[in-house]
Amino acid sequence: MLSNLKKSVLIVDDEAVNRKLLGYMIESEYNVIYAENGVQALSVIRDNVGIISLVLLDLLMPKMDGYEVLKHMKRDKHMKLIPVIVLTSENSAEVKSLKLGAVDFIQKPYSMPEVILARVRRSIELVERSRLIHTTRNDALTGLYTREYFYEYCANYDTYNFNVETDAIAVNVNRFHLINELHGHNYGDNILQAIAEEIKHITDSKKGMACRCAPDTFFIYCPAGLNYKKLLAGIDRAVRREAESSSRISLRMGIYEKCDKSVGIAQRFERAIIASNVLKNSYTSDYMCYDLKMHENEMFGEKLMNDMDAAIKEHQFKVYYQPKFRIDGDEPALCSAEALVRWNHPQYGMISPGVFIPLFEKNGLIHELDLYVWQNAAHQIREWKRSIGVSVPVSVNVSRVDIYYPNLADTLQAIRKKYSLSEDELILEITETAYTDDSFQFENQLERLRKLGFKLEMDDFGSGFSSLNMLTTLTLDAIKLDMSFIKNICTNEKDAKIVKLVKEIADFLGMPLIAEGVETEEQYRLLKEIGIDIIQGFYFSKPLPEAEFEQFITGEIPVKPISRKAPVNS
Ligand code: C2E
Ligand code: MG
Ligand code: MG
């Protein structure tokens, strides 16, 4: 069992007696880990990056010698940060090993234990200090630490205060980009400076430390026991002193109380962020502590992320199809389908994409999954043409992450070609919020897709912050209204008005408007009255496996017409 207070040193030597001797000399100050050869050493180092503070490396060993180990470490961006002291009996080896990145050199046979211990100590200190100096220390706007420096600082703090219970706290400004847009960047900067000043004041008095880790996010690491309500109220007051009375600025604070110190620093703050994100849509300042439920969710997410690779290989993903109907004629007519993925997990059963897509987006695997779905959908379109003789266009979802793939357009074109599909048959749904991530990249990518003839539907329209802005710069083939507008369309006059307004804009731009999430006849009736072109929703059908969907194509499932009489309760 490693003692958490001590730093760890790896001793690599093929001779047991040498390993023991060195270990004995330094074990009073360090946790000692051992490896017998270069191969074993690299594997131990790889598994313990961030934990091993120093490597004592023998040069002459069977399997893989010390030079090879140094070369491997030098090539790896994490391993190369770990200092190495070389152990050898040959003077001539010194230059070669120093060139390969070794920081010092200990001559065999080992004679003076106190000298060896001092050299180990000095090498570790030197490297740690230079790492601190090399990371940019302060954020130019607020004077607080930068994230990199802050993390190093927290780790150092822990080394010497391991038994002190600490909290990781994240403070975010709600809708900060709107504040910037409405009041200008100078105003936004002043607000951030006011927050930073108050945080600095608090951390100074409570022996804590703080950084600005993103434009509108601050991290605080300090001994547990703060009064969170008071802390938030203090920052809130500082904001109000700075803000114009007309602007309503609110903060959200997430706290990971009494951190588990076996969890990495970055992950501790991720937990604080998870807690603060629960309050994301709030308009008043509030705080939230990371709790057991969030922890279980996080663990479930981790488990799913671990299972993803195998799930793709084992075809656990199923593509479902939800019909879309044209409603501008007398009777609704099937016009296309949306491909929606589900995960048939061996342990948890069917999992909906709302749960796993955000995780896939986080670890980048979404592109692989999307490729799988696009291929499946393309194959299905061809199958329906072949077996039923009907061409059913299918729209597939393109993730915000896919937008960053430079060969996205070529990949999609290759799929279209492979299954001999026309330009109208494979449609792309692109979520509006991706535009907010990087509008330049977004515009370029969409332009490339358009050039190749792809039809583009803007998904979740109205959910982002640049909806109208985007319409003026992009050419699209259809707009899909965000479901939230449809949900209350019959009860909330404002929502109905917005839908009408978007319909006018769509008409002006000559684009069809699609409403999704239509669940009731009442909604359907109203949308038809407004003049919506296409609808999709549980009212007609849930997403279905391809075999069941086929019944819509063959007409075995009659499409619900609007009843002649209005329902009694409408
Ligand atoms: P989306 O693209 O906006 O898809 C519409 C979602 O609304 C689907 O949820 C659908 O099942 C649901 N829905 C349809 N009609 C109704 C209704 O009447 N009422 C309600 N309450 N919901 C309805 P689903 O299948 O859970 O997918 C959620 C989101 O996950 C999708 O939203 C899409 O953003 C994403 N997604 C699904 N499949 C894929 C995929 O293959 N790739 C990517 N990148 N994202 C996908
Ligand atoms: Mg969609
Ligand atoms: Mg949508």
Side-chain angles (χ1 to χ4, degrees):
M1 178 74 184
L2 299 182
S3 155
N4 281 318
L5 285 168
K6 291 181 184 172
K7 294 178 181 172
S8 299
V9 172
L10 171 68
I11 297 178
V12 192
D13 200 312
D14 57 318
E15 292 198 35
V17 59
N18 282 342
R19 286 199 300 274
K20 270 210 183 122
L21 199 60
L22 264 186
Y24 179 71
M25 290 176 187
I26 63 169
E27 71 184 7
S28 59
E29 279 190 31
Y30 299 97
N31 288 313
V32 186
I33 314 171
Y34 299 96
E36 294 174 16
N37 57 54
V39 178
Q40 204 181 66
L42 280 179
S43 146
V44 173
I45 297 169
R46 232 175 244 126
D47 291 345
N48 293 283
V49 163
I51 293 173
I52 294 177
S53 297
L54 177 90
V55 179
L56 291 169
L57 180 68
D58 184 25
L59 282 180
L60 299 179
M61 292 181 294
K63 279 203 182 168
M64 182 191 281
D65 66 18
Y67 295 117
E68 274 305 301
V69 174
L70 278 171
K71 275 186 207 155
H72 273 86
M73 288 181 71
K74 205 174 172 184
R75 278 200 293 265
D76 183 283
K77 75 172 184 215
H78 300 295
M79 290 201 278
K80 76 175 176 196
L81 299 176
I82 304 172
V84 178
I85 297 180
V86 156
L87 316 166
T88 186
S89 43
E90 293 171 43
N91 273 335
S92 58
E94 187 170 355
V95 176
K96 191 173 171 194
S97 40
L98 290 179
K99 264 191 190 154
L100 284 170
V103 292
D104 203 353
F105 192 73
I106 292 178
Q107 195 91 52
K108 287 184 186 178
Y110 311 126
S111 47
M112 299 206 290
E114 58 284 9
V115 173
I116 289 179
L117 187 60
R119 288 173 87 165
V120 166
R121 207 185 287 138
R122 195 187 59 129
S123 294
I124 293 178
E125 269 174 21
L126 272 179
V127 168
E128 276 178 357
R129 212 172 297 150
S130 79
R131 218 180 282 159
L132 272 182
I133 292 165
H134 279 99
T135 34
T136 322
R137 218 182 120 116
N138 296 99
D139 164 44
L141 179 70
T142 62
L144 292 182
Y145 293 136
T146 57
R147 177 170 28 191
E148 290 69 26
Y149 187 87
F150 174 73
Y151 281 170
E152 291 275 350
Y153 199 8
C154 293
N156 258 11
Y157 174 90
D158 277 350
T159 308
Y160 299 104
N161 302 277
F162 197 81
N163 294 324
V164 177
E165 288 183 318
T166 42
D167 291 345
I169 303 175
V171 180
N172 295 76
V173 186
N174 290 324
R175 289 167 280 269
F176 183 68
H177 58 280
L178 276 187
I179 298 169
N180 262 342
E181 268 168 45
L182 290 173
H183 300 274
H185 284 263
N186 280 344
Y187 180 82
D189 284 354
N190 290 343
I191 299 290
L192 295 173
Q193 278 165 341
I195 295 173
E197 226 161 274
E198 179 63 21
I199 288 181
K200 176 117 195 13
H201 175 69
I202 294 158
T203 48
D204 281 351
S205 66
K206 302 288 177 194
K207 295 200 169 57
M209 54 209 99
C211 78
R212 183 166 77 120
C213 72
D216 59 351
T217 309
F218 300 84
F219 286 167
I220 302 170
Y221 194 58
C222 65
L226 276 185
N227 179 333
Y228 306 130
K229 200 168 172 187
K230 234 169 116 185
L231 168 67
L232 181 63
I235 307 174
D236 221 17
R237 261 197 312 275
V239 169
R240 263 182 282 126
R241 273 197 301 271
E242 189 61 45
E244 286 168 18
S245 57
S246 62
S247 66
R248 282 180 22 211
I249 301 175
S250 64
L251 307 165
R252 60 181 191 277
M253 190 165 95
I255 305 135
Y256 176 33
E257 282 176 294
K258 299 183 182 167
C259 301
D260 173 353
K261 294 204 176 174
S262 68
V263 167
I265 298 280
Q267 201 182 347
R268 292 180 216 169
F269 283 96
E270 242 173 60
R271 289 185 176 177
I273 291 273
I274 290 174
S276 87
N277 279 349
V278 175
L279 307 165
K280 204 164 191 169
N281 296 319
S282 165
Y283 280 91
T284 50
S285 293
D286 206 353
Y287 71 90
M288 175 74 73
C289 292
Y290 181 81
D291 62 18
L292 190 66
K293 186 96 198 73
M294 294 176 203
H295 186 64
E296 280 167 5
N297 270 341
E298 194 192 342
M299 292 300 117
F300 179 61
E302 295 251 314
K303 164 97 177 82
L304 291 186
M305 285 206 254
N306 281 334
D307 292 348
M308 280 172 192
D309 249 342
I312 291 183
K313 285 190 193 105
E314 291 166 18
H315 300 276
Q316 289 169 14
F317 293 100
K318 303 283 169 245
V319 182
Y320 277 38
Y321 297 87
Q322 188 177 32
K324 295 184 197 172
F325 293 92
R326 285 212 78 91
I327 56 164
D328 45 4
D330 285 343
E331 300 290 330
L334 177 71
C335 62
S336 62
E338 175 173 9
L340 293 158
V341 71
R342 271 94 186 91
W343 185 352
N344 192 5
H345 193 283
Q347 196 177 340
Y348 306 118
M350 259 331 166
I351 309 178
S352 82
V355 174
F356 61 83
I357 296 275
L359 300 173
F360 272 64
E361 286 183 336
K362 219 161 106 181
N363 71 3
L365 275 178
I366 186 71
H367 190 61
E368 211 178 315
L369 177 65
D370 277 342
L371 277 175
Y372 177 84
V373 174
W374 301 338
Q375 297 260 11
N376 263 266
H379 174 261
Q380 195 55 57
I381 301 170
R382 191 180 66 183
E383 263 314 286
W384 281 327
K385 273 199 288 193
R386 193 189 57 77
S387 61
I388 313 177
V390 178
S391 158
V392 184
V394 172
S395 59
V396 293
N397 287 286
V398 175
S399 150
R400 60 204 315 127
V401 177
D402 298 323
I403 301 290
Y404 292 93
Y405 279 75
N407 53 358
L408 174 71
D410 296 333
T411 307
L412 279 158
Q413 195 191 23
I415 294 178
R416 204 168 54 185
K417 206 166 154 203
K418 179 172 169 194
Y419 295 96
S420 318
L421 304 182
S422 74
E423 290 183 357
D424 296 326
E425 286 176 316
L426 187 67
I427 304 165
L428 308 179
E429 290 196 14
I430 301 175
T431 177
E432 184 210 291
T433 47
Y435 181 80
T436 330
D437 293 347
D438 181 346
S439 55
F440 182 72
Q441 174 75 5
F442 191 82
E443 283 166 22
N444 277 341
Q445 197 62 276
L446 261 56
E447 194 47 44
R448 251 175 271 158
L449 289 164
R450 281 195 67 76
K451 275 202 183 121
L452 295 177
F454 281 100
K455 300 283 176 287
L456 308 174
E457 292 182 358
M458 186 49 53
D459 206 355
D460 313 320
F461 183 80
S463 63
F465 293 102
S466 333
S467 314
L468 293 177
N469 187 12
M470 188 184 54
L471 285 185
T472 56
T473 47
L474 298 172
T475 317
L476 302 162
D477 297 284
I479 300 174
K480 278 187 97 168
L481 257 176
D482 191 54
M483 245 185 274
S484 57
F485 295 111
I486 310 301
K487 197 164 176 233
N488 302 318
I489 192 172
C490 296
T491 48
N492 185 338
E493 218 176 301
K494 246 189 188 167
D495 282 353
K497 271 193 183 145
I498 288 178
V499 174
K500 281 181 199 156
L501 195 68
V502 179
K503 172 65 184 152
E504 277 173 33
I505 296 170
D507 281 348
F508 174 75
L509 296 168
M511 277 188 266
L513 187 59
I514 305 172
E516 62 178 332
V518 182
E519 293 184 351
T520 66
E521 180 170 353
E522 216 182 345
Q523 290 168 339
Y524 169 25
R525 196 180 277 278
L526 186 54
L527 290 165
K528 189 167 167 66
E529 212 176 283
I530 293 172
I532 299 293
D533 306 270
I534 295 170
I535 68 174
Q536 173 185 353
F538 295 168
Y539 176 68
F540 284 123
S541 170
K542 295 199 161 167
L544 300 169
E546 74 263 0
E548 287 177 48
F549 182 88
E550 254 170 53
Q551 301 170 341
F552 277 108
I553 311 175
T554 55
E556 281 168 56
I557 302 180
V559 174
K560 286 184 196 168
I562 293 189
S563 50
R564 300 272 170 248
K565 274 197 295 183
V568 185
N569 58 353
S570 73

